Amino acid sequence: MRTVRTFEASIANPQQVGDDLDQLGWAASKLWNVSRYYAQEQWDDTGEIPDDGELKAELKGHERYTDLHSQSSQRVLEELAEAFTGWFAKRRDGDSRARPPGYRKRGDSHPRSTVTFKAAGFKHDAQFTRVRLSKGRNLKEHRSDFVLCEYELRPDVDLTEWDIQQVRAVYTYEEWRLQFICRKSIDPDPPGDGVAGVDLGISNIAALSFGSESILFPGNALKEDEYYFGKQKAKCDDSRSNERLRLDRKRTERRTHFLHTLSKQIVSECVERGVGTIVVGDLEGIRDNENGESRNWGSHGNLDLHGWAFDRFTSILDYKAETEGIDVLIESERDTSKTCSACGTKDGNQRVERGLYVCEECDTVANADVNGAENIRQKVTPSPSQDRSNGWLAQPSVHLFDRSEGRFAPREQVVDCKP
């Protein structure tokens, strides 16, 4: 089985390579606009949009095409053709508001577009953590002219374990970053045939149930970051100021690290217990009420919900689990917060407090999030045992995010540090 991953890295020598990357980014925008103009002409004349093959054949001799490495130029034209295909699909499905891809221009200037380097357009140097990116003939000052980017990745990523397929230079938050699109073949055996349930939430980011024990992962660190960076950004007069962009970038980096660390910890706990399937509650619609309108969770709750990237977390969890041979399933959360996981009684009034669930039928007392996680687990467990001690439902282990170590650890081992 082949798996593909994208790893994003910061550029360690931006002053040395910034101008060259700017040139490439502007060149990509100009080539997009040239091909967009050609596509419009063909549309007006024939009523059809040229595909990427025709665009490549027609524009191969254009001076804008040779501003970039040939494979980078090809990718720009492929992206335009894909954008038109997506537009046609929306029109075919009756979306009258769909608009065709536009020109990349801001007044008299061009934005910096993403530049993709395929196999022949880059050379990776793992020993010195740098990558050489090719320029087009028009932008070279001499035959061997190229852009040599030094980069920094997350400490848990080792590119030598992967086959790098492409490198993308992406301009975001007023800086260039690199994305490595990698592939490798994996065929791991599952750690076992156990099943774990995961209930996602706001106060507790995740509750993990194994059927005989449970773990809570509070979201204190994530919420503190949202409040802290929100207040700091409010002090900025200009929404596009360097300080505002720096804060946005820092918040995104910390949130990404948190989500990767959380998913890695959950997978590690599952491997240790021989779990072969993780069942995650589907939170689709959590932001809306029964009428499809935005649900009001209160001022703090709304802020927490806005900052909680449920879909992104599930995606990260899925690929980290895949490398260990663990399947990730998405199951509806319907009634999981109302149902007793011990006896199956469903009563919306049994959740007596936010974090407490008490069943009047069988006297089970449980942490409400753990009870939900266990109900999610039981959705795919063939024969959940009904005769077992349920003290673990009320007394889960609590793992907090340790800022000083950048990892999750049992509560008693964590030293809390503010942002």
Side-chain angles (χ1 to χ4, degrees):
M1 176 177 62
R2 287 183 175 179
T3 183
V4 178
R5 299 288 178 262
T6 299
F7 302 110
E8 186 164 288
S10 60
I11 294 177
N13 59 335
Q15 293 184 343
Q16 287 75 26
V17 301
D19 289 344
D20 286 333
L21 291 175
D22 284 345
Q23 280 190 318
L24 294 174
W26 288 325
S29 289
K30 293 175 183 177
L31 177 59
W32 172 282
N33 291 342
V34 168
S35 56
R36 176 63 180 83
Y37 181 80
Y38 174 78
Q40 185 66 52
E41 283 188 321
Q42 296 303 302
W43 173 263
D44 293 339
D45 292 343
T46 67
E48 296 182 359
I49 293 294
D51 60 17
D52 64 291
E54 181 180 343
L55 290 173
K56 293 172 186 176
E58 183 66 28
L59 299 175
K60 188 174 183 179
H62 197 284
E63 61 178 332
R64 296 285 74 83
Y65 189 95
T66 49
D67 285 343
L68 301 172
H69 185 275
S70 59
Q71 290 186 342
S72 298
S73 294
Q74 290 169 14
R75 184 56 194 149
V76 172
L77 303 183
E78 290 166 358
E79 289 174 357
L80 179 65
E82 290 165 4
F84 271 114
T85 299
W87 170 56
F88 274 125
K90 290 180 179 179
R91 284 189 54 182
R92 187 174 58 248
D93 293 339
D95 185 354
S96 59
R97 296 177 299 176
R99 294 290 181 269
Y103 291 92
R104 292 179 177 174
K105 203 167 185 180
R106 294 172 183 164
D108 295 329
S109 64
H110 296 83
R112 300 170 178 86
S113 291
T114 295
V115 184
T116 300
F117 303 87
K118 299 182 182 180
F122 71 88
K123 185 175 182 180
H124 181 236
D125 184 347
Q127 181 180 358
F128 296 101
T129 58
R130 61 191 184 187
V131 61
R132 188 180 75 185
L133 307 177
S134 296
K135 294 182 177 181
R137 183 173 66 249
N138 289 349
L139 297 184
K140 287 184 177 181
E141 295 182 2
H142 47 81
R143 183 182 178 87
S144 61
D145 192 12
F146 51 80
V147 187
L148 188 61
C149 295
E150 299 171 5
Y151 66 85
E152 294 179 355
L153 279 163
R154 299 196 323 265
D156 61 319
V157 176
D158 183 0
L159 289 182
T160 62
E161 299 176 354
W162 295 82
D163 179 15
I164 304 175
Q165 301 294 297
Q166 297 179 8
V167 178
R168 287 199 294 249
V170 181
Y171 192 74
T172 179
Y173 293 123
E174 301 296 322
E175 70 171 11
W176 284 99
R177 298 180 70 84
L178 297 177
Q179 293 179 348
F180 295 89
I181 295 83
C182 305
R183 183 183 67 188
K184 71 176 177 180
S185 297
I186 59 173
D187 190 20
D189 293 324
D193 56 5
V195 179
V198 178
D199 179 82
L200 301 178
I202 298 175
S203 180
N204 290 312
I205 293 299
L208 181 60
S209 171
F210 299 103
S212 59
E213 60 178 312
S214 55
I215 303 174
L216 282 183
F217 298 93
N220 300 44
L222 194 61
K223 290 193 290 184
E224 286 170 4
D225 278 352
E226 292 301 315
Y227 294 142
Y228 171 78
F229 286 107
K231 289 180 180 180
Q232 295 301 310
K233 290 198 302 179
K235 298 177 183 178
C236 300
D237 296 329
D238 184 357
S239 62
R240 299 299 298 174
S241 67
N242 289 335
E243 176 63 12
R244 177 68 178 263
L245 293 170
R246 185 190 71 80
L247 290 169
D248 279 336
R249 181 171 62 251
K250 188 68 174 178
R251 182 184 66 171
T252 299
E253 290 173 350
R254 289 174 69 139
R255 183 192 301 163
T256 298
H257 176 64
F258 181 95
L259 296 180
H260 277 279
T261 304
L262 173 60
S263 57
K264 183 178 180 180
Q265 183 68 28
I266 289 176
V267 171
S268 176
E269 300 286 351
C270 290
V271 170
E272 182 179 329
R273 293 164 177 80
V275 169
T277 303
I278 299 175
V279 191
V280 182
D282 185 2
L283 290 176
E284 183 178 357
I286 189 175
R287 292 175 171 83
D288 301 325
N289 60 23
E290 296 177 354
N291 298 320
E293 299 174 349
S294 295
R295 184 177 297 174
N296 185 7
W297 294 86
S299 57
H300 282 209
N302 289 335
L303 182 59
D304 293 338
L305 191 62
H306 178 72
W308 199 170
F310 298 107
D311 292 342
R312 186 179 181 199
F313 169 74
T314 303
S315 176
I316 294 172
L317 178 66
D318 185 38
Y319 83 70
K320 288 187 183 294
E322 180 185 53
T323 61
E324 298 291 346
I326 300 175
D327 292 329
V328 174
L329 306 179
I330 307 299
E331 291 286 338
S332 171
E333 279 200 339
R334 184 177 179 83
D335 295 333
T336 55
S337 63
K338 302 177 182 179
T339 303
C340 175
S341 59
C343 71
T345 299
K346 184 169 66 175
D347 186 345
N349 296 321
Q350 294 189 147
R351 188 163 178 160
V352 296
E353 294 180 15
R354 177 174 178 80
L356 181 64
Y357 183 95
V358 179
C359 179
E360 297 179 357
E361 186 69 24
C362 68
D363 295 328
T364 291
V365 177
N367 176 283
D369 293 329
V370 171
N371 181 68
E374 174 60 8
N375 279 323
I376 291 169
R377 189 189 75 86
Q378 291 182 14
K379 283 180 175 287
V380 299
T381 305
S383 303
S385 172
Q386 298 299 320
D387 182 20
R388 63 175 186 268
S389 170
N390 55 27
W392 60 274
L393 287 168
Q395 296 180 321
S397 173
V398 178
H399 289 200
L400 295 175
F401 185 71
D402 187 343
R403 293 185 186 279
S404 63
E405 298 289 337
R407 63 183 179 88
F408 281 91
R411 185 197 299 270
E412 59 272 13
Q413 298 179 14
V414 174
V415 177
D416 186 31
C417 298
K418 298 298 181 183

